[in-house]
Amino acid sequence: MKNLFLGMACVLLTGCANSPKQETVTSCCNDKSSMEVILNLHRKVKPEYVSAYKEAFAKCKANTVQEVGCVDYGVYQSPEDSTEFLICEVWENENVLAKHGETAHLKQLLEETKDMFDGASDKKIYVCAEAQK
């Protein structure tokens, strides 16, 4: 439950800090490709890999925050379970997120960490700016 709350807080806080308010509200489906994109990814890491995972993520983050279109890129660790992580990424739009998926530093992170996870990840992408109005 706390992970869900942290993920929701990340989405709401990021949106409040970065999106101007508009007078009119339109459908959430209007031109999603131009909207800010928030990606939340929950990962459960095997206990013996927690330190290595954080180090690998930090290396990737150093390059990712330099990418055009990256608004925020963070990893958060659960205070109740040190093996649970939330990755919260904020991108200017879907196109820059797709370009991030092709970068060498992300591919290196995925290769370095592929055997570190304990179970499936939970990935969600949010794009509806009108939810903040």
Side-chain angles (χ1 to χ4, degrees), residues 26 33 37 57 70 85 120:
T26 57
S33 65
V37 176
F57 188 89
C70 179
F85 291 87

Side-chain angles (χ1 to χ4, degrees), residues 3 5 20 24 27 29 31 44 47 54 56 68 77 88 106 126-127:
N3 283 342
F5 175 75
T24 58
S27 170
C29 296
D31 195 16
K44 179 112 171 127
K54 291 194 293 188
V68 172
Q77 189 173 19
C88 184
L106 179 61
Y126 302 87
V127 295

